[in-house]
Amino acid sequence: MTELVVTLDLDGVTDKAGLMDRAVRALQLPDWFGRNWDALADSLSDHSVWPEAAVEKGLLVVVRNWQAYAKASPQEWETAQEVFADAADRTPALCVALALGGTAR
């Protein structure tokens, strides 16, 4: 069974608020999502807030166009990577991949 693939596209994102807004949309997070690092980590690790199809299949989150955010906010990006890695380590059905390329315009 193939996991559900969700794309977290960070094109144009330069701060944490933008990343959180994109995560809400991409992951279909609930209205009560706290829009902070702990809430993102919890949501990535909690099957009950995943898109329905991912609960049985597993979830692959592909982060695209992250390079501009990493350059604009390197400390935030480092934290984001830690959140992604920790959630994936704690949750066997979750994989987070950083897409390379796609930055040429």
Side-chain angles (χ1 to χ4, degrees), residues 8 10 13-24 27 29 32-46 63 66 69-70 72-88 90 94 96 98:
L8 175 56
L10 300 182
V13 171
T14 57
D15 61 15
K16 178 181 163 186
L19 181 143
M20 294 296 167
D21 287 345
R22 296 287 176 89
V24 166
L27 298 167
L29 296 175
W32 49 261
F33 174 71
R35 294 177 190 262
N36 59 59
W37 297 122
D38 288 337
L40 182 59
D42 291 345
S43 295
L44 287 168
S45 300
D46 183 356
V63 184
W66 52 270
Y69 176 59
S73 301
Q75 289 180 328
E76 286 181 9
W77 177 242
E78 186 175 325
T79 301
Q81 289 180 88
E82 289 171 9
V83 167
F84 295 144
D86 289 347
R90 286 193 321 253
L94 172 69
V96 179
L98 301 181

Side-chain angles (χ1 to χ4, degrees), residues 4 29 42-45 52-58 60-62 67-70 72 79 84 88 99-100:
L4 176 71
L29 296 175
D42 291 345
S43 295
L44 287 168
S45 300
E52 190 173 325
V55 174
E56 290 182 23
K57 296 179 172 186
L60 169 59
V61 179
V62 178
Q67 294 89 339
Y69 176 59
T79 301
F84 295 144
L100 300 178

